[in-house]
Amino acid sequence: MRAKRYGRCGTWLVLGFLLLLTAPTPTPRPSFLTPTATDTSVPAVGRAWPVGARPTVLRGWEPPATVYGRGHRGVDLAAPPGSPVRAVAPGRVSFAGRVAGKGVVSVELTGTDLRTTYEPVTASVEKGAEVAAGEVVGTVEPTGSHCTTTCLHWGLRRGETYLDPLSLLPPWLLRRGPSRLLPVLDVPLP
């Protein structure tokens, strides 16, 4: 009796193993359903904030779960209307015009596969122009922002993947507050 029971269990184990081996491999999800992911390989090539010296981040980057999912595909920086908008890194202007009623400037960053976008902006550059880090590419428009106050939406993309634009900036540009000198103790005066 016991031998029959173990024999049946062995048969089921063998059948299960064979099914596992012959099961089709899962097909990958289509790229349009793949969520945008945090890419930690973004080089810190930025040399300037797009607006101001250290603007307030009104809303940070919130990657969506899927391409069409909810999220925030950039950062919103506080900026009054008419503020100059600067290229964060050197590059070539790939677009300067209006999209859905908003002024947009896109810059392909030199030596990378990255592209930054700035909106709503009245462009002062044309498509194809080479820009240096810190060079003015336009001014913040008074309307067209999705913020409750006037702001600049700053985005970053690698291909079709949205990334956190703050990752472009080196740590020294992200620190808050001024530098402070601390007293030196127990050191004899010259």
Side-chain angles (χ1 to χ4, degrees):
M1 184 81 155
R2 197 176 261 179
K4 279 186 174 180
R5 187 180 323 152
Y6 290 126
R8 279 190 229 138
C9 287
T11 303
W12 285 110
L13 284 173
V14 169
L15 283 174
F17 184 70
L18 288 174
L19 282 173
L20 181 66
L21 288 177
T22 59
T25 57
T27 56
R29 292 169 57 175
S31 62
F32 62 87
L33 291 179
T34 306
T36 56
T38 303
D39 187 348
T40 57
S41 65
V42 174
V45 295
R47 294 293 171 252
W49 281 93
V51 288
R54 174 65 174 97
T56 301
V57 176
L58 300 174
R59 184 174 177 194
W61 183 64
E62 300 164 15
T66 65
V67 173
Y68 301 109
R70 296 178 71 158
H72 192 237
R73 293 160 176 84
V75 295
D76 293 335
L77 304 174
S83 297
V85 177
R86 302 178 186 286
V88 296
R92 186 181 59 78
V93 177
S94 58
F95 181 83
R98 303 203 70 76
V99 176
K102 295 180 190 177
V104 177
V105 174
S106 292
V107 178
E108 293 175 356
L109 304 183
T110 303
T112 71
D113 56 352
L114 302 170
R115 181 176 72 239
T116 59
T117 57
Y118 312 95
E119 66 177 74
V121 173
T122 301
S124 61
V125 291
E126 294 182 3
K127 180 179 178 178
E130 296 289 329
V131 294
E135 186 175 335
V136 175
V137 296
T139 56
V140 176
E141 292 180 345
T143 59
S145 172
H146 58 261
C147 300
T148 56
T149 182
T150 310
C151 74
L152 174 76
H153 178 83
W154 175 32
L156 175 66
R157 288 176 78 171
R158 172 178 282 134
E160 296 301 314
T161 303
Y162 290 92
L163 305 169
D164 183 1
L166 293 177
S167 62
L168 283 173
L169 299 178
W172 60 269
L173 268 178
L174 294 170
R175 289 192 195 107
R176 295 179 185 241
S179 299
R180 293 184 294 167
L181 295 176
L182 299 174
V184 178
L185 305 174
D186 300 328
V187 175
L189 293 174

